[in-house]
Amino acid sequence: LFDPQSMLPTTLEMLRILRGVAPFLLMTATFSGEMLAGLARALDAVVVPEDDDARKAIAALPSRRKLRRYHLVDGPLTAEAVLNAHRRRTLVVCNQVGRAQAMYRALRDHPQRGDTRVILLHARFLPDDRGRIESTLRTVFGKENRDPGRWIAVATQAIEVGLDITCEALHTELAPANAIVQRAGRCARYRDEEGDVYVYTHAVGDD
């Protein structure tokens, strides 16, 4: 998540300078194997897991026992597509605030929405409003959720970090691979869950 032109090289240079002086740990869900190997060489670090046996042990953890299916959709992300795949909990992620707002309005006003409630989250909300919306998301999309209602949350990149939530279906506009992985982590997040991630090749705006 660090900016590749500023924060990331600054962080890596700091770690290189402090190597042998202070211990450090780097963790993320989106390191590539190539980047891990390069960091290990540059920082004289150990990559964990170190071998196939360790990787298999991690794969056997209870938290990894879930099923997430990926679908590439050659078309636009529309309210109709979202509602057709909707069950009980659905997340929709747009790359721009304007498109998220348009999607929210399209879902809210759609005749097929029924009793499904729609909520919107993006970075332009005032802090108090954003905090209230995030609290609602944690309540109705969280691990212990027992709300019997049906919900669709529309969001921007604001939903990629800091929210421990899950859903059965996640719809996202095409984005860099690390962003897709971050977003998909909000689908079938917990043990024994199943979910579907739909990646759309086109986006539709207000026009």
Side-chain angles (χ1 to χ4, degrees):
L1 292 173
F2 286 165
D3 186 291
Q5 304 302 320
S6 57
M7 181 62 76
L8 180 60
T10 300
T11 300
L12 297 181
E13 180 63 12
M14 177 185 71
L15 296 179
R16 187 190 66 79
I17 292 171
L18 293 176
R19 183 179 60 191
V21 177
F24 55 85
L25 172 67
L26 302 177
M27 290 194 305
T28 178
T30 54
F31 271 146
S32 68
E34 183 177 350
M35 185 177 186
L36 277 174
L39 286 173
R41 288 191 299 270
L43 302 173
D44 192 24
V46 175
V47 177
V48 179
E50 298 182 66
D51 54 35
D52 286 340
D53 288 340
R55 279 186 282 273
K56 289 177 182 177
I58 289 177
L61 291 171
S63 60
R64 300 295 295 271
R65 296 174 192 164
K66 53 199 171 190
L67 178 61
R68 186 181 299 139
R69 295 171 289 264
Y70 290 82
H71 312 268
L72 181 63
V73 183
D74 187 17
L77 172 53
T78 64
E80 288 77 13
V82 172
L83 288 168
N84 287 339
H86 178 55
R87 285 168 274 175
R88 185 166 166 264
R89 297 287 182 272
T90 295
L91 294 178
V92 183
V93 187
C94 301
N95 296 330
Q96 296 180 2
V97 171
R99 288 208 293 269
Q101 293 169 325
M103 175 61 68
Y104 168 78
R105 290 191 296 267
L107 287 166
R108 180 196 61 191
D109 301 334
H110 202 285
Q112 296 178 16
R113 177 174 64 86
D115 62 353
T116 295
R117 299 179 66 179
V118 185
I119 191 170
L120 175 66
L121 175 68
H122 56 70
R124 292 184 190 169
F125 281 107
L126 294 172
D128 287 350
D129 293 326
R130 180 168 175 174
R132 173 180 50 80
I133 295 167
E134 290 182 349
S135 177
T136 299
L137 285 171
R138 290 187 183 95
T139 298
V140 298
F141 285 83
K143 185 176 183 178
E144 303 301 329
N145 165 53
R146 294 181 177 83
D147 187 309
R150 288 153 44 92
W151 290 76
I152 296 175
V154 182
T156 58
Q157 294 92 325
I159 210 167
E160 290 178 17
V161 295
L163 283 174
D164 187 11
I165 57 177
T166 189
C167 65
E168 300 102 352
L170 184 140
H171 304 260
T172 175
E173 294 178 349
L174 195 63
N178 63 319
I180 295 292
V181 171
Q182 291 280 9
R183 297 172 188 185
R186 273 69 191 162
C187 178
R189 188 172 180 84
Y190 307 121
R191 179 179 178 177
D192 297 329
E193 288 189 334
E194 290 191 22
D196 293 275
V197 176
Y198 301 90
V199 182
Y200 293 80
T201 58
H202 298 78
V204 177
D206 286 326
D207 57 356

